[in-house]
Amino acid sequence: MSLLIKGGTVVTADQTMRADVYCADGRIAAVGEALDVPAGAEVVDAGGALVMPGGIDPHTHMQLPFMGTVTSEDFESGTAAALAGGTTSIIDFVIPDPQQPLMDAFRTWRGWAEKSVADYGFHVAVTWWDDSVHADMGRLVRDEGVNSFKHFMAYKGAIMAPDEVLVRSFERALELGAMPTVHAENGELVWTLQQKIKERGFTGPEGHPLSRPPEVEGEAANRAIRIAQVLGVPIYIVHVSCKESLEAITRARLEGQRVFGEVLAGHLVVDDSVYRHPDWDTAAAYVMSPPFRSKEHQAALWKGLQSGNLQTTATDHCCFCADQKRMGLGDFTKIPNGTAGVEDRMAVLWHHGVNAGRMTPNEFVAATSANAAKIFNIYPRKGAITPGADADLVVWDPKASRTISAKTHHQKIDFNIFEGMTVEGSAAVTVSAGEVVWKNGTLDVRTGRGRYVKRPNFSPMFEALGKLAARTAPMPVDRKLPTAAE
Amino acid sequence: MSLLIKGGTVVTADQTMRADVYCADGRIAAVGEALDVPAGAEVVDAGGALVMPGGIDPHTHMQLPFMGTVTSEDFESGTAAALAGGTTSIIDFVIPDPQQPLMDAFRTWRGWAEKSVADYGFHVAVTWWDDSVHADMGRLVRDEGVNSFKHFMAYKGAIMAPDEVLVRSFERALELGAMPTVHAENGELVWTLQQKIKERGFTGPEGHPLSRPPEVEGEAANRAIRIAQVLGVPIYIVHVSCKESLEAITRARLEGQRVFGEVLAGHLVVDDSVYRHPDWDTAAAYVMSPPFRSKEHQAALWKGLQSGNLQTTATDHCCFCADQKRMGLGDFTKIPNGTAGVEDRMAVLWHHGVNAGRMTPNEFVAATSANAAKIFNIYPRKGAITPGADADLVVWDPKASRTISAKTHHQKIDFNIFEGMTVEGSAAVTVSAGEVVWKNGTLDVRTGRGRYVKRPNFSPMFEALGKLAARTAPMPVDRKLPTAAE
Amino acid sequence: MSLLIKGGTVVTADQTMRADVYCADGRIAAVGEALDVPAGAEVVDAGGALVMPGGIDPHTHMQLPFMGTVTSEDFESGTAAALAGGTTSIIDFVIPDPQQPLMDAFRTWRGWAEKSVADYGFHVAVTWWDDSVHADMGRLVRDEGVNSFKHFMAYKGAIMAPDEVLVRSFERALELGAMPTVHAENGELVWTLQQKIKERGFTGPEGHPLSRPPEVEGEAANRAIRIAQVLGVPIYIVHVSCKESLEAITRARLEGQRVFGEVLAGHLVVDDSVYRHPDWDTAAAYVMSPPFRSKEHQAALWKGLQSGNLQTTATDHCCFCADQKRMGLGDFTKIPNGTAGVEDRMAVLWHHGVNAGRMTPNEFVAATSANAAKIFNIYPRKGAITPGADADLVVWDPKASRTISAKTHHQKIDFNIFEGMTVEGSAAVTVSAGEVVWKNGTLDVRTGRGRYVKRPNFSPMFEALGKLAARTAPMPVDRKLPTAAE
Amino acid sequence: MSLLIKGGTVVTADQTMRADVYCADGRIAAVGEALDVPAGAEVVDAGGALVMPGGIDPHTHMQLPFMGTVTSEDFESGTAAALAGGTTSIIDFVIPDPQQPLMDAFRTWRGWAEKSVADYGFHVAVTWWDDSVHADMGRLVRDEGVNSFKHFMAYKGAIMAPDEVLVRSFERALELGAMPTVHAENGELVWTLQQKIKERGFTGPEGHPLSRPPEVEGEAANRAIRIAQVLGVPIYIVHVSCKESLEAITRARLEGQRVFGEVLAGHLVVDDSVYRHPDWDTAAAYVMSPPFRSKEHQAALWKGLQSGNLQTTATDHCCFCADQKRMGLGDFTKIPNGTAGVEDRMAVLWHHGVNAGRMTPNEFVAATSANAAKIFNIYPRKGAITPGADADLVVWDPKASRTISAKTHHQKIDFNIFEGMTVEGSAAVTVSAGEVVWKNGTLDVRTGRGRYVKRPNFSPMFEALGKLAARTAPMPVDRKLPTAAE
Ligand SMILES: [Zn+2]
Ligand SMILES: [Zn+2]
Ligand SMILES: [Zn+2]
Ligand SMILES: [Zn+2]
Ligand SMILES: [Zn+2]
Ligand SMILES: [Zn+2]
Ligand SMILES: [Zn+2]
Ligand SMILES: [Zn+2]
């Protein structure tokens, strides 16, 4: 089975060129003008549109049991929605309960994800610590293609990792050549503020952002980064939502530390006024952590992307419908945290990024796929258009205009945080593993066609870190010790 | 009993003037030229020297039980040494053991301090938390003249306060109009690094700074500041030793937060090469926490003082003699942490500050007394030369040159971290509570003449913080809630 | 003639105390509780209000010939309005035309100012350079009590000082112990933008801020500061209006450089939406340089004041009435630049500063008088409440509420940029040189009662700068030179 | 003619892979494992070494007439030395005298460069302004393949461009889609300091850095960046040598501005102690502008590279031999400014960058070729290993150790600023336009084989800048104007 995408302009993270793309056996076989391809290949006429690497969403939660319920979106529906938006891979999260063996949880999630229709991988959360966790991290990295671990600095009393767990796990990750990642919010402060806010009479969703102000995120981001610095480990901060944590990242990067930051499409364009919406369901629909922020933070996040201090864009896709959100009627701390977005990220980024002059199309590719692939060490298999790469592509029509709405989206949720936003630029055709899976507004997928993507450990930065550590290692002083007689 | 200091140039934090100073009943009665004073007053001829407020050292540990031993300097010898150097007040620390009632510890320390020969006060440490701590904080503030509380973010397994204690105690301090202070080092990281460093074969004092790098301090300083920010509390960081924590302070101050930083004379002029001294006793003598740092940090600290981001200078005077230090022979983590300095701070600051063109004499007064008095709310009783203020003065001879040495100092310790440093400028005469206590190189004090100084709570900044909190307080949204029927 | 102000709370930059203030012969004679004063003194009952140093406005332009017209406010009316608002001193500007001898201009301005009803001094502008300017700077400093020189980095083709003039003049100021000050805007960019903006069809006042964006100010501030740094001179930036120039100041101060920044009351509370007001006269009334900025800059300026990176507050009081402003109908570059404020600065600062929790009353005094007095070396004669100081005082009623309006103000201008703002806190009584000049809403002054205040050169910072320069001066290398034979 | 490089590991800016590289007709024809290539191709066995894009040195001065002499290195010898070090392209500078038509100068330089043995291009300097310069910039861009213009902010009285020239030229560059670049030093300050330093008795080379301190560079960098910001133009700062200018770049990039910075290999590893060398010839050999800096700046520059705030590395290769340097015997301002390095840049960067753990091999490629190619819009023709790209390659032996010396280098100069430095990693084979030009320590080139490389204008960032400008353009306010009657 082979496929020729012709007549398009290939746009990658580092160049733009008129070229056809020929795919065979799920991979890109050739890129160039006037390709000589075997007869019988399926042909997609790009019609002058852009051909880009399919998006990678490095932060989703399909079928997640959380806060007493389970997200409405499962791996099949979620990856299908992703494809409809031009995203061809996701990295989801395995989140063990405290005391649950990591391998058990991993197997459970692998089972849930079997029905995916696009490629996927997993970050595995370290929510507790003992020798078995240490051992399971090794098995996950060496045998299961996991090269990143997640840590929650919030959710006190549940999955929060105190400094001790962070330190142990980061050390282990370094040994294994794996990337530690954190959800950065100071859990103690969140807990304290939740009580205070409730005491002051707040019950509705507007209490949510008040209990998780930017300083709380900035503190945790800085703490995780400092721990990583001391241990000589790289680190990746998920869903950076505010200038405080961006500043912590920026400060560290300016010192030469290998720190990475992810920003959600939602945090770039939705502001915190939503929490004061007079309709409870609407306000509750936006409850996620970290919460949406004021416009000042949005502006900072864009600059973070533009300056390269934030490298990746994601969605933290985590769907709860109105009836689930209502579990928190009367107590905002009980509203399940999460919003959708896996389908809309690419369009939102294109419209507010490229069309607005904030980024070039190449920078768009870097931010939506190539950088995530590099950081999580699957580049150029993913995130590139080069012979040998997986044939995950999107034919992007920069002129196509559409209005985002829950009424028309493919996500399994009754709300869309971008509702009513008209964007110019959208996925005309999506190709996954060499198959046309989205075209003419129609999905064409079969359950389980998605593949689990193993990610190798020891990306190139680890060798540099090792050399750095060796070069700067101090030596003990050789001394004659004093004796009691002296 | 009255005293006239004549012929000097009065230097305070905000002005310089030719003036005589007349003291009566322990207080300053008049300041001016050609004062008309009662007959019979003792006269000190300043001979053209400078008359400045006596120094305040806001960070000392006299007679401290610590790491299995007790400091060699007690309240009598320590305050006497202070007077010899021009320092007329200290603020020491009450450090309860975990589970020990704060009031019990406070009474113990008050007893130990009775023999002081200069004025003194206490910060009280909060090393644990329960309702009794909450209650005792109230009693200390309201009845005992304590307006500041100390928290150790290091010393895991001993007196370390985790985030939960910090949050509870900071909240309580705000209620009481008292200042929280922290020793900022991430205790988990220190502990981890100690193990790692020992595993790499380090046993000597050079292992000490490796286990407490600047990042570890910077992390903790930032965390404490963020917690204070979220809670709306002012905060004071003791012994800022590195650019990382200075940056955390500076960042916060630039945002308008009320954050204060203290720097030790030692950190300004001693660098970390001392830990690699071939003589174990010498290297061990410098073991304190945070450790001495590289010259780059020294330069940063001076700039912190000059820019006003650090306001006070102190010593963390905490004396252990060579035989005590040797408890850590073979294991640097067992070397008692602490160095002396209460006698030399003023001269070191003058020489490297004023003589070097880094500060004006007025700025010297601010950094050595007035600012501490303001922050801890005893200004202008202390730190000023104005009618009504305590007659705590130093007649400073800016031309007098001397070489600092353990052989000649008055401190009860067999080592001086400034050994061999020649400084120009020293205390010719020290006056405490209107009495000449140091003159012609001779101390004239009687045991117990020092007084416990009660410090009132609610310094002016608390009113501003209250107005700020009120102005920025959000209001709940008034909503009609959805019902199941919707 | 003597005056007793009783029953008040004295508030200075460094303390707050219940005290009466006794004034005699134009000076403060005593400060204390239950003062023993001669019979016959006039008594003002402060009635529990605050007694503070009278305000110093270090930046006004009375009777200024500018852009083809002359300001509507002269020295008499302007200083009277100042007194009505609690400001008892101004520092105005002598602005020679290019090629005009500085001494000539100085004498002209001295003549104009003779009728002032409050105390005043002058900064003298250096708008060109030759040997006579060098010489006149010396005469002004040594004989005439001028200790500061102004430089305009904007107004190309008129009074703009290019780098060469800045360098020459700053060097000379250092020699003389005088402070260089700058109006920081890049004149070349302003000129270019004016042409561009006009080419794009802008004729109205909204073109004004577009031609002077914050970057243009930030560039110039940084340049002036760097020149001062290289030459080892202190520097004072007038009317800092944006975060860009604040950042330049802050950066330098963090490096230990002696840089000072002034902020106008207007820039703190008026934003740039005024330039888009549909009424031309209203929009034009706000035309001044630098222009009012967006709210983001306002927030930054407040933080600059709070962090101490901005030290003084002023008004750039420079009045043009509507008929004068209309000179720029059809061409915004011809609208005379300037707005009023000398009367309202104190109230605006109190209301938005102290009442809002941004500053304490002591910090208010620092920002409205003491800091300016220190920087321009007239402290404690001005800016303090201490025996010997000039009896320039304001009895401040923190509860008095009023609404600012051109209809009721004493300024000689038909517009008020704070029109309609209700402020709590105002001057109940103003005392100048020991005389009650404002009370019960009535001015009681006679023409010419104000005095020219000579300001001595070589404030204390100059000695520190000299020591610093000496300590860090490099030495030539002594070498044997190569010869042709080698 | 075709060439196969086999057995190597291909390293590009974004990936590392085992692959052979097949070159035909001067271009890369195929990249992959086990390539099927025509018989008869020349084969280079990479023997496990790395195959990287040949270096691009974007800053050289071959055959430059400067300061009364001409550099000893011409285009032939210089490009040959470049090839010996693995650098396959240079971008040199056309520097018209003031009043000289740009086209005339361009033709002169094109003539001089005809004999080059590696590919080359030109930045053209704008040293003065009138309409002809405006017109010639257009011709150079549209007809001659120049897409960057250089401006000297120093060299007062010679080629210094005042703000007015910068503004005019930057505006013009934006119109043309060309990149403005600057040599950033404040010429007025340099001139003033030169006089001062000489007055203080400095005659030798140690006077040189004193006359050009980092602040002088930082000021100019910031000014150029602000001008670019105001005009909406991208900007490239050549030879960033100090933290001050790095900070200006970083600040701007953090704000989203498109600013680029270049660092010289010399500034990364040579410090300013060289100017105090007792041998005059040695000290003089290091005279270049900006001068070498202290180690603190070196550390900052490395971090600049690591954080991505500096993107390119260059040499400012500009050779003067000892007899030329001696023109400045007795007056350091007359020592011709310039040092060599085009041959050694790659090895110095590899050794101190990659071997030291500061950068990965991919980051090395970005810093030595790919980034320059992208910024100057010749990527992927240069700087990439991809079919269609120019076959400019270096086979890099990471294990080969050598000691740099003037005795063995190929540069036409009697001194090497890296003399005695042993580096591990060097160019085993260099391929230019598909020809093996350097192998086994031997150059094999013929005069004039190098090609002039036209660089197209309007790199992708210009489209983004245009969209940004359009999105943020303000509109005039439509008003009814007041009339005299009102
Ligand atoms: Zn999260
Ligand atoms: Zn998540
Ligand atoms: Zn401590
Ligand atoms: Zn201590
Ligand atoms: Zn001005
Ligand atoms: Zn002005
Ligand atoms: Zn240059
Ligand atoms: Zn050059």
Short mmCIF file of all heavy atoms in Angstrom, two decimals, chain A residues 9-19 31 51-53 360-363 365 379 385-386, chain D residues 14 374 377-382 384-389 460:
data_model
loop_
_atom_site.label_atom_id
_atom_site.label_comp_id
_atom_site.label_asym_id
_atom_site.label_seq_id
_atom_site.Cartn_x
_atom_site.Cartn_y
_atom_site.Cartn_z
N THR A 9 3.23 22.10 -0.63
CA THR A 9 4.46 22.71 -0.15
C THR A 9 4.80 22.04 1.16
O THR A 9 4.02 22.12 2.11
CB THR A 9 4.26 24.22 0.07
OG1 THR A 9 3.99 24.82 -1.20
CG2 THR A 9 5.50 24.85 0.67
N VAL A 10 5.92 21.35 1.16
CA VAL A 10 6.31 20.66 2.39
C VAL A 10 6.89 21.67 3.38
O VAL A 10 7.77 22.46 3.04
CB VAL A 10 7.35 19.56 2.09
CG1 VAL A 10 7.98 19.05 3.37
CG2 VAL A 10 6.67 18.42 1.32
N VAL A 11 6.36 21.66 4.58
CA VAL A 11 6.82 22.57 5.64
C VAL A 11 7.28 21.72 6.81
O VAL A 11 6.50 20.95 7.37
CB VAL A 11 5.70 23.51 6.10
CG1 VAL A 11 6.19 24.41 7.23
CG2 VAL A 11 5.18 24.35 4.94
N THR A 12 8.54 21.85 7.15
CA THR A 12 9.04 21.16 8.35
C THR A 12 9.58 22.21 9.30
O THR A 12 9.50 23.41 9.04
CB THR A 12 10.15 20.16 7.99
OG1 THR A 12 11.27 20.90 7.51
CG2 THR A 12 9.69 19.17 6.93
N ALA A 13 10.14 21.73 10.39
CA ALA A 13 10.65 22.67 11.38
C ALA A 13 11.81 23.50 10.84
O ALA A 13 12.07 24.58 11.32
CB ALA A 13 11.11 21.93 12.64
N ASP A 14 12.49 22.98 9.83
CA ASP A 14 13.62 23.78 9.38
C ASP A 14 13.59 24.23 7.93
O ASP A 14 14.49 24.97 7.53
CB ASP A 14 14.96 23.12 9.74
CG ASP A 14 15.17 21.80 9.05
OD1 ASP A 14 14.30 21.36 8.29
OD2 ASP A 14 16.24 21.21 9.29
N GLN A 15 12.58 23.85 7.20
CA GLN A 15 12.54 24.37 5.84
C GLN A 15 11.16 24.28 5.20
O GLN A 15 10.26 23.59 5.69
CB GLN A 15 13.57 23.68 4.95
CG GLN A 15 13.35 22.19 4.82
CD GLN A 15 14.31 21.59 3.82
OE1 GLN A 15 14.36 22.01 2.67
NE2 GLN A 15 15.07 20.61 4.26
N THR A 16 11.03 24.97 4.10
CA THR A 16 9.80 25.01 3.32
C THR A 16 10.20 24.76 1.87
O THR A 16 11.14 25.38 1.39
CB THR A 16 9.16 26.41 3.45
OG1 THR A 16 8.88 26.64 4.83
CG2 THR A 16 7.88 26.52 2.64
N MET A 17 9.52 23.81 1.22
CA MET A 17 9.90 23.55 -0.18
C MET A 17 8.73 22.94 -0.94
O MET A 17 7.90 22.23 -0.40
CB MET A 17 11.09 22.58 -0.23
CG MET A 17 10.82 21.25 0.47
SD MET A 17 12.24 20.12 0.38
CE MET A 17 11.81 19.01 1.75
N ARG A 18 8.70 23.23 -2.21
CA ARG A 18 7.74 22.56 -3.08
C ARG A 18 8.21 21.13 -3.21
O ARG A 18 9.34 20.88 -3.65
CB ARG A 18 7.75 23.20 -4.47
CG ARG A 18 7.39 24.67 -4.52
CD ARG A 18 5.95 24.94 -4.21
NE ARG A 18 5.05 24.12 -5.00
CZ ARG A 18 3.75 24.31 -5.09
NH1 ARG A 18 3.16 25.29 -4.41
NH2 ARG A 18 2.99 23.51 -5.82
N ALA A 19 7.39 20.17 -2.85
CA ALA A 19 7.82 18.77 -2.98
C ALA A 19 6.63 17.85 -2.84
O ALA A 19 5.65 18.15 -2.16
CB ALA A 19 8.86 18.42 -1.92
N VAL A 31 10.89 12.18 -0.79
CA VAL A 31 10.41 13.56 -0.75
C VAL A 31 11.11 14.30 -1.87
O VAL A 31 12.34 14.26 -1.95
CB VAL A 31 10.77 14.24 0.60
CG1 VAL A 31 10.22 15.66 0.64
CG2 VAL A 31 10.27 13.41 1.77
N VAL A 51 2.05 20.63 3.38
CA VAL A 51 2.17 19.26 3.88
C VAL A 51 3.13 19.30 5.06
O VAL A 51 4.30 19.65 4.91
CB VAL A 51 2.69 18.33 2.78
CG1 VAL A 51 2.80 16.90 3.31
CG2 VAL A 51 1.78 18.40 1.56
N MET A 52 2.60 18.97 6.22
CA MET A 52 3.40 19.10 7.43
C MET A 52 3.40 17.78 8.21
O MET A 52 2.52 16.95 8.02
CB MET A 52 2.83 20.21 8.31
CG MET A 52 2.74 21.56 7.59
SD MET A 52 2.37 22.94 8.69
CE MET A 52 0.66 22.57 9.08
N PRO A 53 4.37 17.62 9.10
CA PRO A 53 4.31 16.43 9.98
C PRO A 53 3.02 16.47 10.78
O PRO A 53 2.59 17.54 11.22
CB PRO A 53 5.53 16.61 10.90
CG PRO A 53 6.45 17.54 10.16
CD PRO A 53 5.55 18.45 9.37
N THR A 360 6.48 31.62 12.35
CA THR A 360 6.49 31.20 10.95
C THR A 360 5.87 29.80 10.87
O THR A 360 5.77 29.10 11.88
CB THR A 360 7.93 31.12 10.41
OG1 THR A 360 8.61 30.10 11.14
CG2 THR A 360 8.66 32.45 10.59
N PRO A 361 5.49 29.37 9.67
CA PRO A 361 5.00 27.99 9.53
C PRO A 361 6.03 26.98 10.04
O PRO A 361 5.67 25.96 10.63
CB PRO A 361 4.76 27.87 8.02
CG PRO A 361 4.38 29.26 7.61
CD PRO A 361 5.29 30.15 8.43
N ASN A 362 7.31 27.22 9.84
CA ASN A 362 8.32 26.29 10.34
C ASN A 362 8.31 26.24 11.86
O ASN A 362 8.42 25.18 12.47
CB ASN A 362 9.72 26.70 9.86
CG ASN A 362 9.76 26.96 8.37
OD1 ASN A 362 9.76 28.11 7.94
ND2 ASN A 362 9.71 25.90 7.57
N GLU A 363 8.19 27.39 12.46
CA GLU A 363 8.13 27.42 13.92
C GLU A 363 6.86 26.72 14.43
O GLU A 363 6.87 26.11 15.50
CB GLU A 363 8.18 28.89 14.40
CG GLU A 363 9.56 29.50 14.17
CD GLU A 363 9.60 31.02 14.23
OE1 GLU A 363 8.53 31.67 14.26
OE2 GLU A 363 10.72 31.59 14.23
N VAL A 365 5.52 24.07 13.03
CA VAL A 365 5.82 22.63 13.01
C VAL A 365 6.69 22.25 14.21
O VAL A 365 6.47 21.23 14.86
CB VAL A 365 6.51 22.22 11.69
CG1 VAL A 365 6.98 20.77 11.76
CG2 VAL A 365 5.54 22.42 10.52
N TYR A 379 12.36 11.48 17.32
CA TYR A 379 12.66 12.22 16.11
C TYR A 379 13.82 11.53 15.40
O TYR A 379 14.75 11.08 16.08
CB TYR A 379 13.07 13.65 16.47
CG TYR A 379 13.27 14.56 15.28
CD1 TYR A 379 12.21 15.31 14.77
CD2 TYR A 379 14.51 14.67 14.66
CE1 TYR A 379 12.39 16.15 13.69
CE2 TYR A 379 14.70 15.50 13.57
CZ TYR A 379 13.63 16.24 13.09
OH TYR A 379 13.81 17.06 12.01
N ILE A 385 9.62 15.14 8.00
CA ILE A 385 9.22 14.62 6.70
C ILE A 385 10.51 14.30 5.97
O ILE A 385 11.13 15.16 5.34
CB ILE A 385 8.36 15.64 5.92
CG1 ILE A 385 7.09 15.95 6.71
CG2 ILE A 385 8.01 15.07 4.54
CD1 ILE A 385 6.11 16.89 6.01
N THR A 386 10.91 13.07 6.12
CA THR A 386 12.20 12.65 5.60
C THR A 386 12.11 11.15 5.36
O THR A 386 11.35 10.45 6.05
CB THR A 386 13.30 13.00 6.64
OG1 THR A 386 14.58 12.86 6.04
CG2 THR A 386 13.22 12.16 7.89
N ASP D 14 19.61 18.50 13.53
CA ASP D 14 18.47 17.89 14.21
C ASP D 14 18.49 16.38 14.37
O ASP D 14 17.60 15.83 14.99
CB ASP D 14 17.14 18.37 13.62
CG ASP D 14 16.94 17.93 12.19
OD1 ASP D 14 17.82 17.27 11.63
OD2 ASP D 14 15.88 18.27 11.64
N LYS D 374 20.42 29.40 8.08
CA LYS D 374 19.00 29.78 8.21
C LYS D 374 18.85 31.30 8.31
O LYS D 374 18.01 31.89 7.64
CB LYS D 374 18.39 29.11 9.44
CG LYS D 374 18.19 27.61 9.26
CD LYS D 374 17.69 26.95 10.55
CE LYS D 374 17.62 25.43 10.38
NZ LYS D 374 17.34 24.75 11.67
N ASN D 377 19.51 32.86 5.14
CA ASN D 377 18.59 32.35 4.12
C ASN D 377 19.24 31.54 3.00
O ASN D 377 18.84 31.64 1.84
CB ASN D 377 17.78 33.53 3.54
CG ASN D 377 16.41 33.09 3.05
OD1 ASN D 377 15.88 32.07 3.51
ND2 ASN D 377 15.84 33.82 2.13
N ILE D 378 20.23 30.73 3.36
CA ILE D 378 20.79 29.82 2.36
C ILE D 378 20.63 28.37 2.81
O ILE D 378 21.28 27.47 2.29
CB ILE D 378 22.28 30.14 2.05
CG1 ILE D 378 23.07 30.34 3.36
CG2 ILE D 378 22.37 31.38 1.16
CD1 ILE D 378 24.57 30.49 3.14
N TYR D 379 19.76 28.15 3.79
CA TYR D 379 19.45 26.80 4.25
C TYR D 379 18.31 26.26 3.42
O TYR D 379 17.39 27.01 3.13
CB TYR D 379 19.05 26.87 5.73
CG TYR D 379 18.85 25.52 6.38
CD1 TYR D 379 19.91 24.88 7.01
CD2 TYR D 379 17.60 24.90 6.35
CE1 TYR D 379 19.73 23.64 7.60
CE2 TYR D 379 17.42 23.67 6.95
CZ TYR D 379 18.48 23.03 7.57
OH TYR D 379 18.31 21.83 8.17
N PRO D 380 18.28 25.00 3.05
CA PRO D 380 19.26 23.94 3.35
C PRO D 380 20.34 23.79 2.28
O PRO D 380 21.03 22.79 2.28
CB PRO D 380 18.38 22.70 3.40
CG PRO D 380 17.31 22.98 2.39
CD PRO D 380 17.09 24.46 2.40
N ARG D 381 20.47 24.81 1.42
CA ARG D 381 21.57 24.68 0.45
C ARG D 381 22.88 24.52 1.21
O ARG D 381 23.73 23.70 0.83
CB ARG D 381 21.62 25.93 -0.44
CG ARG D 381 22.80 25.88 -1.37
CD ARG D 381 22.85 27.03 -2.38
NE ARG D 381 24.12 27.02 -3.07
CZ ARG D 381 24.57 27.98 -3.87
NH1 ARG D 381 23.81 29.05 -4.09
NH2 ARG D 381 25.76 27.88 -4.44
N LYS D 382 23.05 25.30 2.23
CA LYS D 382 24.22 25.18 3.11
C LYS D 382 23.72 24.79 4.51
O LYS D 382 22.59 25.10 4.88
CB LYS D 382 24.97 26.52 3.22
CG LYS D 382 25.45 27.12 1.90
CD LYS D 382 26.63 26.36 1.33
CE LYS D 382 27.24 27.08 0.11
NZ LYS D 382 28.20 26.22 -0.59
N ALA D 384 23.14 21.85 5.80
CA ALA D 384 22.30 20.65 5.93
C ALA D 384 22.91 19.49 5.16
O ALA D 384 23.74 19.69 4.28
CB ALA D 384 20.90 20.94 5.40
N ILE D 385 22.52 18.30 5.52
CA ILE D 385 22.92 17.13 4.73
C ILE D 385 21.64 16.47 4.26
O ILE D 385 21.01 15.67 4.98
CB ILE D 385 23.77 16.15 5.56
CG1 ILE D 385 25.05 16.87 6.04
CG2 ILE D 385 24.13 14.92 4.73
CD1 ILE D 385 26.02 16.00 6.82
N THR D 386 21.23 16.86 3.08
CA THR D 386 19.95 16.44 2.56
C THR D 386 20.04 16.49 1.05
O THR D 386 20.79 17.30 0.51
CB THR D 386 18.83 17.37 3.11
OG1 THR D 386 17.57 16.82 2.85
CG2 THR D 386 18.94 18.77 2.54
N PRO D 387 19.36 15.62 0.36
CA PRO D 387 19.47 15.63 -1.10
C PRO D 387 19.17 17.01 -1.66
O PRO D 387 18.20 17.66 -1.26
CB PRO D 387 18.42 14.60 -1.54
CG PRO D 387 18.34 13.66 -0.38
CD PRO D 387 18.51 14.53 0.83
N GLY D 388 20.01 17.45 -2.55
CA GLY D 388 19.84 18.76 -3.16
C GLY D 388 20.75 19.83 -2.57
O GLY D 388 21.00 20.85 -3.19
N ALA D 389 21.20 19.59 -1.35
CA ALA D 389 22.08 20.57 -0.71
C ALA D 389 23.45 20.55 -1.37
O ALA D 389 23.85 19.55 -1.97
CB ALA D 389 22.22 20.25 0.78
N PRO D 460 11.84 33.47 5.75
CA PRO D 460 10.47 33.29 6.27
C PRO D 460 10.07 34.27 7.38
O PRO D 460 8.91 34.62 7.52
CB PRO D 460 10.47 31.85 6.78
CG PRO D 460 11.50 31.15 5.97
CD PRO D 460 12.57 32.18 5.70
#
